Amino acid sequence: MAMGLPVIGFVCSLSVIIQYRKKLKKGQFIAMLLFEIMPGIGAVIQVFFYGVSTINITVGFGTICMFGELMLWQNKEVGKVARTEVRTGLANEHGVIEELRAIQAAGKASDYAVISFDIARFSLVNNKYGMEIGTQVLIRYAQTLSRHLEKDEFIGRQGSDHFLAIIRQKNTEEFLKLLSGCLVKFVYKEQDVDVILSAVSGVYKIRENDTDVEEIIANAYTALTYAKNVVKHDSFEMTQETIAQIGERKKFEGMLPEAIRREEFLVYYQPKVNSRTRLLVGAEALVRWMHEGELISPGKFIPVMESNDLICTMDYYMLDHVCADLEEWIEKGLVPPTVSVNFSRRNLTNKNIAKDIDGIVQKHHVPKKLIEIEITETVDEFPLSVLKGFVDELHRLGYRVAVDDFGCGSSSLSLLREITFDTLKIDKGFVDRAYAKDLTILGFIIKMAKAINLEILAEGVEQEEQINTLLSLGCEVIQGYYFDKPLPHETMERRLNNRDYYQER
Ligand code: C2E
Ligand code: CA
Ligand code: CA
């Protein structure tokens, strides 16, 4: 009986350690086993040689058990501190990683998605209420979101206003809806305040064969970066398809600067035709990439160039080549029409953009009236005043400016009120939907444009009926496959040589 006591104590504390085995690192587990085994064996030997002293044994084993418990408690607390932010009490990235590991160990990872999200314009809260309240709002935010989670779902903060969540795949949609507008209540100067916080998110749904937790989190983070900087949507999901696309983009990204140096980009010209007179009245310069014998369209590389500032180099490259072509055609005795060149809004960060454009045109001795600059209507990341400054400066220098893709953004009317353009290009999307209500709107746009002396052009016209509709609404100048696709240099030259080309269509 007396011998049984230390053995029972020994077995009990051993079982406690085994129970916590999964939470202990391998080294800790072995060390604790030794701590348990050595005194346990010692106690058995003591009883065997010196006889039984119940108090001795009880105290001895009590100490051993307490020691074991203490070690476990300490280990748990250290783990908790490492997984939790001291200041906010919110779980941190380590916490999320551990949680994900536990889900993985249970073989359930492929039921879950990892969502990396960033609160949009959180600096406004900090600026208005101060950093201290800002931190409280973040805590409230995480708590509010947590209230909507199932018990096996989890949220942690990665830093500042950037969070990570592990959500069941079936609940992803609902969680994203919550992220798009989450009401947070807090107290400021003894007043109740409500703010609605919306977040941009990157989603990665875990697959059966995903084993690397860090990689899973990195995929969600890359998706977030894509949502913010590339697709500019509230949310972006990283799938196997998008991972492959991103791989291709990365490959392109590396190749593009060298391709510019090697002059692999070609200028194609899409004619603009007056549908009433059937005369060639202009052309738009559109870039094509001749890479390893294949002609690559801009849809594949312009977005890549837009995401770094290579697009600005590209736009100057295009202008330079257009001016060289115009110079050549004029020298050959041809009479080229005005050519429009696309300039990305990214160029607006360059204060000297108008002067740089002028420098290139002057270098080639091209009459200024032969160049028109096209800029898209959306000016999201720039104040209207910056675009206005650019347009005014171009006018002062003697160039025409067109507003591109009109009708597909949301700032259209204020844009026209604030800035004087020369040409308004109606987006293909609008031309395609030119029936019923949209037809009425299109009619008003054309009327309004004419009233403020804008030249009007419809893009992407493919069918005869569209031409008739546009003509009846008062829009004569057409750019679209109906007349011509974008043409290489030599074909464009042939059009300039054959002024009657469109009369026969
Ligand atoms: P965008 O400026 O709106 O150019 C018009 C696009 O519509 C061109 O596509 C043109 O080929 C296409 N298009 C014209 N008519 C029709 C039609 O009847 N049907 C259809 N389905 N499509 C038509 P593209 O050449 O692929 O260029 C796509 C976009 O890439 C351009 O849209 C422009 O935003 C950008 N881009 C092209 N070249 C440059 C450039 O040199 N600089 C900059 N910044 N962007 C460029
Ligand atoms: Ca354009
Ligand atoms: Ca356009």
Side-chain angles (χ1 to χ4, degrees):
M1 170 67 198
M3 277 288 281
L5 209 60
V7 175
I8 290 167
F10 171 62
V11 170
C12 284
S13 43
L14 198 63
S15 76
V16 175
I17 301 174
I18 290 171
Q19 197 187 322
Y20 277 87
R21 194 189 46 174
K22 274 195 180 151
K23 301 220 173 187
L24 295 171
K25 289 192 182 124
K26 202 173 168 192
Q28 282 173 316
F29 177 60
I30 293 170
M32 287 199 60
L33 265 184
L34 287 176
F35 274 121
E36 286 297 298
I37 287 166
M38 299 304 265
I41 291 173
V44 173
I45 291 169
Q46 197 191 4
V47 172
F48 189 77
F49 283 106
Y50 304 104
V52 181
S53 151
T54 317
I55 292 175
N56 235 351
I57 292 168
T58 313
V59 171
F61 274 94
T63 315
I64 291 170
C65 290
M66 272 170 64
F67 179 72
E69 283 297 322
L70 192 72
M71 287 288 286
L72 289 170
W73 174 81
Q74 197 183 9
N75 175 68
K76 232 169 112 185
E77 282 310 296
V78 168
K80 206 153 125 196
V81 170
R83 294 194 310 264
T84 315
E85 291 178 337
V86 181
R87 213 155 68 92
T88 63
L90 299 174
N92 59 21
E93 188 175 344
H94 294 294
V96 178
I97 290 176
E98 281 207 13
E99 212 59 37
L100 205 50
R101 288 218 167 99
I103 290 173
Q104 224 171 22
K108 291 185 180 154
S110 61
D111 291 346
Y112 292 82
V114 173
I115 301 178
S116 174
F117 55 102
D118 236 346
I119 304 175
R121 295 176 289 278
F122 191 70
S123 56
L124 294 180
V125 174
N126 279 336
N127 292 344
K128 188 162 179 193
Y129 303 102
M131 296 294 277
E132 203 52 49
I133 294 284
T135 308
Q136 293 308 313
V137 174
L138 287 174
I139 298 173
R140 284 287 166 88
Y141 176 66
Q143 288 168 345
T144 311
L145 292 179
S146 298
R147 275 201 288 279
H148 292 81
L149 300 185
E150 288 187 10
K151 71 176 188 324
D152 54 350
E153 296 176 326
F154 194 78
I155 285 182
R157 190 165 90 137
Q158 268 198 312
S160 64
D161 56 353
H162 183 191
F163 292 81
L164 263 176
I166 308 170
I167 302 292
R168 281 187 167 270
Q169 289 188 9
K170 67 176 171 62
N171 296 337
T172 312
E173 280 304 305
E174 210 172 309
F175 189 70
L176 292 180
K177 216 181 279 168
L178 184 62
L179 289 186
S180 68
C182 174
L183 176 72
V184 180
K185 292 172 180 289
F186 61 97
V187 176
Y188 177 66
K189 292 188 176 165
E190 293 171 14
Q191 297 275 316
D192 288 333
V193 183
D194 290 353
V195 285
I196 293 178
L197 299 178
S198 51
V200 184
S201 58
V203 180
Y204 181 71
K205 290 182 178 152
I206 305 171
R207 297 177 318 144
E208 291 277 357
N209 52 354
D210 286 330
T211 48
D212 187 338
V213 168
E214 266 91 6
E215 194 178 307
I216 292 172
I217 292 178
N219 280 341
Y221 185 70
T222 310
L224 171 65
T225 321
Y226 252 64
K228 283 202 286 196
N229 304 331
V230 183
V231 292
K232 298 192 170 135
H233 284 171
D234 292 345
S235 184
F236 180 76
E237 183 181 333
M238 189 69 83
T239 58
Q240 290 316 298
E241 202 185 336
T242 49
I243 289 175
Q245 279 169 6
I246 288 168
E248 192 175 61
R249 275 180 82 110
K250 286 230 169 85
K251 199 178 80 194
F252 268 1
E253 220 164 342
M255 286 155 61
L256 292 171
E258 181 59 20
I260 293 184
R261 250 191 315 278
R262 288 207 214 132
E263 307 226 340
E264 288 182 2
F265 293 94
L266 305 176
V267 183
Y268 270 52
Y269 293 91
Q270 187 171 33
K272 298 172 184 173
V273 179
N274 183 311
S275 60
R276 200 178 295 282
T277 61
R278 302 272 155 155
L279 289 176
L280 175 74
V281 291
E284 175 177 10
L286 293 158
V287 63
R288 298 290 181 268
W289 182 15
M290 180 55 90
H291 181 61
E292 294 172 353
E294 191 196 343
L295 203 61
I296 304 175
S297 67
K300 288 228 165 158
F301 58 87
I302 290 275
V304 184
M305 289 181 162
E306 286 266 4
S307 60
N308 53 44
D309 276 339
L310 205 58
I311 190 68
C312 304
T313 314
M314 186 75 247
D315 290 342
Y316 285 111
Y317 172 105
M318 286 292 284
L319 178 67
D320 194 39
H321 284 70
V322 165
C323 289
D325 286 348
L326 288 171
E327 196 179 9
E328 180 197 323
W329 287 329
I330 292 168
E331 275 169 14
K332 284 181 176 168
L334 297 168
V335 188
T338 299
V339 174
S340 59
V341 181
N342 290 283
F343 264 74
S344 160
R345 283 167 284 119
R346 284 248 168 195
N347 286 286
L348 294 177
T349 51
N350 170 9
K351 286 202 180 67
N352 291 322
I353 166 176
K355 287 203 180 70
D356 291 346
I357 289 174
D358 191 42
I360 294 174
V361 179
Q362 304 256 21
K363 184 179 83 177
H364 291 281
H365 316 289
V366 168
K368 294 181 178 193
K369 66 174 190 326
L370 292 191
I371 296 295
E372 183 175 63
I373 302 300
E374 276 188 27
I375 192 137
T376 45
E377 76 164 327
T378 351
V379 280
D380 43 4
E381 69 248 64
F382 293 100
L384 222 54
S385 58
V386 177
L387 181 61
K388 181 172 165 35
F390 170 53
V391 175
D392 288 350
E393 179 72 353
L394 279 174
H395 280 155
R396 202 184 57 73
L397 292 166
Y399 295 94
R400 295 179 60 85
V401 189
V403 55
D404 201 2
D405 302 341
F406 188 84
C408 70
S410 54
S411 58
S412 314
L413 288 180
S414 59
L415 190 72
L416 293 189
R417 198 180 59 224
E418 300 290 328
I419 303 173
T420 312
F421 292 96
D422 302 283
T423 310
L424 188 144
K425 296 187 79 173
I426 301 173
D427 189 54
K428 180 176 191 311
F430 226 114
V431 173
D432 287 343
R433 294 191 314 259
Y435 45 84
K437 192 170 159 194
D438 282 356
L439 187 66
T440 318
I441 297 174
L442 187 57
F444 279 117
I445 289 177
I446 293 171
K447 255 198 199 122
M448 174 202 64
K450 289 197 157 181
I452 55 173
N453 290 325
L454 282 176
E455 271 186 23
I456 190 141
L457 175 152
E459 291 188 285
V461 177
E462 295 178 351
Q463 284 140 20
E464 181 105 47
E465 307 89 79
Q466 289 175 314
I467 300 229
N468 296 336
T469 309
L470 287 159
L471 267 176
S472 71
L473 294 175
C475 171
E476 296 179 354
V477 183
I478 303 295
Q479 179 188 343
Y481 293 176
Y482 177 79
F483 286 116
D484 256 325
K485 287 192 171 177
L487 310 169
H489 180 100
E490 316 74 59
T491 320
M492 186 63 202
E493 193 170 311
R494 257 184 269 137
R495 297 283 183 276
L496 296 177
N497 267 312
N498 180 5
R499 289 271 157 185
D500 289 338
Y501 180 81
Y502 299 104
Q503 304 288 335
E504 289 117 44
R505 286 224 59 173

